Amino acid sequence: QVQLVESGGGLVQPGGSLRLSCAASGSIVTINDMNWYRQAPGKERELVATIDRGGITNYKDSVKGRFTISRDNAKNAVYLQMNSLKPEDTAVYYCNANIKSRPWSLGTNYWGQGTQVTVSS
């Protein structure tokens, strides 16, 4: 079995910064894409940033230039550095990864438990 464990959420003032971390553990052969999603109250979950195994990244337009996704393949970890935070960034942030547990298997999508990010003065 595979687990994703997130950390780093919290309360921050507008303009502040937070760094989210997510570590995968368990039966892992390869981790393909790693992603960060978020879900604000009353809204659908949305993709914020994605990074493939080679380090190519993509971002939601509203976070470009403020958020940076990165990964450490040796540690099976993904990070989200969030700068210049705005109240509209308030949400529960979820780590997501496509992980192969057997060399011959297709990847399976796994989710972390979520971490709350609140941007407020």
Side-chain angles (χ1 to χ4, degrees), residues 87-102:
E88 51 263 43
D89 295 317
T90 296
V92 178
Y93 283 71
Y94 296 91
C95 172
N96 165 266
N98 185 271
I99 298 175
K100 293 179 63 173
S101 297
R102 298 288 187 271

Side-chain angles (χ1 to χ4, degrees), residues 4 18 29 37 47 52 66 69-70 73 75 82 86 93 96 100 104-106:
L4 298 179
L18 281 175
V29 172
Y37 284 76
L47 178 62
D52 70 9
R66 301 188 297 122
I69 188 172
S70 60
N73 291 332
K75 295 181 178 179
M82 304 184 293
K86 304 175 181 180
Y93 283 71
N96 165 266
K100 293 179 63 173
W104 57 85
S105 67
L106 297 176

Side-chain angles (χ1 to χ4, degrees), residues 9-79:
L11 172 64
V12 64
Q13 292 186 343
S17 298
L18 281 175
R19 185 177 189 246
L20 306 183
S21 300
C22 172
S25 62
S27 179
I28 298 170
V29 172
T30 303
I31 302 180
N32 299 314
D33 288 358
M34 302 186 83
N35 313 296
W36 286 98
Y37 284 76
R38 68 185 181 188
Q39 187 166 21
K43 295 188 177 181
E44 293 188 353
R45 191 172 297 188
E46 61 181 9
L47 178 62
V48 175
T50 185
I51 185 168
D52 70 9
R53 185 164 179 80
I56 296 175
T57 60
N58 277 292
Y59 297 91
K60 177 180 174 62
D61 284 347
S62 62
V63 308
K64 285 180 181 177
R66 301 188 297 122
F67 290 11
T68 302
I69 188 172
S70 60
R71 65 189 284 172
D72 185 334
N73 291 332
K75 295 181 178 179
N76 293 332
V78 63
Y79 310 96

